[in-house]
C-alpha cells in the first residue's frame, strides 16, 4: 500500500480546452507529486481562441465542495483560480474558516486573483473585486497577481521595477501575509522578474524572458506548483522559488494547440 501523498485543493473554473483553470491546476499538481482536489466554480466554453460562454456553479455548491473535501480527505494547501462572482467569494469565506484554510490556520492558502483576461480586460465585476480585497486577501498566505490584475485591484499601473515595489506594498496593506507581484507583463524589462514581499523584505526572483506565444495557463501553473511545495512543508520563500523554477521550465516547454494560444506545459517534469 502506497502512502497517501499531500493533498491540495483548487477552487477554480474549468477550461474545456484544457490549457488553464482546474485542468492546468490538476496536471501541475500531478507533476509535482501531490493529489489534487477540486471545488469547481464555473464551467467555461473555451478553446485556444478564447471564451465564448460561462456557466457559474451555485455559490452554496462551491462552498459545500470545500467543506466536503477538507473534512473527509484533509488538505495540506489550497489555492484559488477563477472565482466568477462576489456571491461565490462570500459563500466560500465561512467555509474556508470552518475547515482551517488561510493565514494563521493549519492549511496555507494561495490566492491567484484571476480577474483579467490575456489582453488585460476585466473578468470580474467590481463587486467581486471588492470581495477579493475585503474577504480573501486578509485570509491569504500568498497572493499572486499579474500586472493587469494589480492594476484592477490597486489602480496602480506597473511599468518598471520601482512601480512593482510600490504595488507590492499596496497589495500587502490589504492583508495577505505575502505578496508575489509577477513581472511577466513588464515587457520592457529584459528579464522576467517576480517580486516577493512580506511587509519587511523584498525578494527578487529573476528569470529568462522567452519569446513565446503559448503562455495559456501560466498563472494557474505557477500558483499550483507553489501550492504543491507548501503542501510538502516548504516555507513561502522556498515554495515560491520552487514555483518560479517550475514555471520557467513550463514556459520553455509550451506547445501549440488549436488555432490560438497554446498552454505552458508541466509535462517536461515527466521526462526527468
Amino acid at each position: 500500500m502506497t502512502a497517501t501523498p499531500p493533498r491540495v485543493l483548487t477552487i477554480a473554473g474549468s477550461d474545456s480546452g484544457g490549457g488553464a483553470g482546474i485542468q492546468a491546476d490538476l496536471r501541475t499538481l500531478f507533476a509535482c507529486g501531490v493529489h489534487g482536489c477540486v471545488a469547481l466554480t464555473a464551467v467555461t466554453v473555451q478553446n485556444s481562441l478564447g471564451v465564448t460562454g460561462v456557466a457559474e456553479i451555485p455559490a452554496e455548491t462551491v462552498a459545500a465542495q470545500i467543506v466536503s473535501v477538507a473534512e473527509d480527505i484533509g488538505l495540506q494547501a489550497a489555492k484559488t483560480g477563477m472565482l466568477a462572482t462576489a456571491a461565490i467569494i462570500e459563500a466560500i469565506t465561512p467555509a474556508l474558516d470552518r475547515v482551517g484554510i488561510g493565514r494563521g490556520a493549519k492549511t496555507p492558502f494561495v490566492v491567484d486573483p484571476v480577474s483579467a483576461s490575456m489582453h488585460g480586460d476585466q473578468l470580474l465585476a467590481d463587486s467581486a473585486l471588492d470581495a477579493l480585497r475585503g474577504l480573501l486577501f486578509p485570509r491569504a498566505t500568498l497572493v499572486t497577481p499579474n500586472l493587469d490584475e494589480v492594476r484592477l485591484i490597486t489602480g496602480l499601473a506597473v511599468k518598471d521595477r520601482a512601480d512593482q515595489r510600490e504595488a507590492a506594498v499596496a497589495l500587502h496593506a490589504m492583508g495577505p501575509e505575502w505578496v508575489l507581484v509577477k513581472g511577466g507583463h513588464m515587457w520592457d524589462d529584459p528579464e522576467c522578474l517576480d517580486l516577493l514581499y512580506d511587509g519587511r523584505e523584498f525578494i527578487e526572483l529573476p528569470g529568462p524572458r522567452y519569446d513565446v506565444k503559448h503562455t495559456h495557463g501560466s498563472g494557474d501553473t505557477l500558483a499550483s506548483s507553489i501550492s504543491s511545495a507548501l503542501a510538502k512543508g516548504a516555507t513561502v520563500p522556498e515554495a515560491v522559488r520552487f514555483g518560479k523554477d517550475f514555471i520557467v521550465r513550463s514556459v520553455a516547454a509550451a506547445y501549440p494547440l488549436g488555432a490560438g494560444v497554446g498552454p505552458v506545459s508541466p509535462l517536461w517534469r515527466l521526462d526527468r
Side-chain angles (χ1 to χ4, degrees):
M1 180 90 56
T2 302
T4 303
R7 283 81 69 200
V8 175
L9 172 69
T10 172
I11 310 166
S14 170
D15 174 354
S16 53
I22 61 165
Q23 286 78 8
D25 290 336
L26 290 175
R27 67 180 184 167
T28 299
L29 295 172
F30 166 78
C32 292
V34 302
H35 177 87
C37 302
V38 171
L40 188 65
T41 61
V43 175
T44 67
V45 180
Q46 185 173 176
N47 57 26
S48 69
L49 297 172
V51 180
T52 56
V54 179
E56 297 157 7
I57 304 298
E60 62 273 16
T61 303
V62 180
Q65 292 174 83
I66 296 170
V67 173
S68 178
V69 168
E71 291 188 341
D72 171 49
I73 295 173
L75 299 167
Q76 282 66 57
K79 68 167 291 289
T80 68
M82 175 183 165
L83 295 174
T85 66
I88 288 175
I89 297 171
E90 291 163 358
I92 70 171
T93 299
L96 296 170
D97 293 345
R98 172 175 167 178
V99 298
I101 295 173
R103 64 172 300 181
K106 64 180 180 180
T107 305
F109 184 41
V110 176
V111 175
D112 182 11
V114 177
S115 50
S117 72
M118 291 181 60
H119 307 291
D121 299 321
Q122 185 169 333
L123 295 177
L124 293 180
D126 289 340
S127 59
L129 287 172
D130 288 341
L132 265 177
R133 298 183 195 99
L135 295 176
L136 289 194
F137 274 36
R139 289 172 166 80
T141 306
L142 173 71
V143 296
T144 63
N146 65 34
L147 300 188
D148 290 317
E149 290 156 354
V150 167
R151 173 177 51 80
L152 291 173
I153 293 165
T154 69
L156 297 173
V158 175
K159 302 296 184 184
D160 54 33
R161 296 188 181 189
D163 292 342
Q164 194 177 20
R165 291 193 170 215
E166 182 183 358
V169 172
L171 288 160
H172 189 267
M174 296 178 185
E177 185 177 0
W178 292 81
V179 173
L180 181 67
V181 181
K182 297 180 291 191
H185 295 176
M186 204 152 54
W187 305 115
D188 292 333
D189 195 312
E191 290 186 304
C192 185
L193 181 81
D194 297 337
L195 184 67
L196 183 63
Y197 180 62
D198 67 348
R200 298 177 301 277
E201 179 186 9
F202 292 100
I203 301 174
E204 294 188 346
L205 298 145
R209 183 175 294 279
Y210 295 117
D211 183 17
V212 295
K213 169 185 177 182
H214 304 299
T215 57
H216 193 42
S218 55
D220 308 284
T221 300
L222 174 62
S224 293
S225 57
I226 292 171
S227 299
S228 75
L230 290 173
K232 294 178 178 181
T235 65
V236 171
E238 289 169 344
V240 172
R241 290 187 188 280
F242 172 81
K244 177 69 175 183
D245 178 71
F246 194 93
I247 189 60
V248 166
R249 292 169 180 259
S250 297
V251 171
Y255 53 82
L257 190 72
V261 178
V264 302
S265 175
L267 300 180
W268 63 267
R269 196 166 173 89
L270 302 183
D271 296 328
R272 296 181 65 180

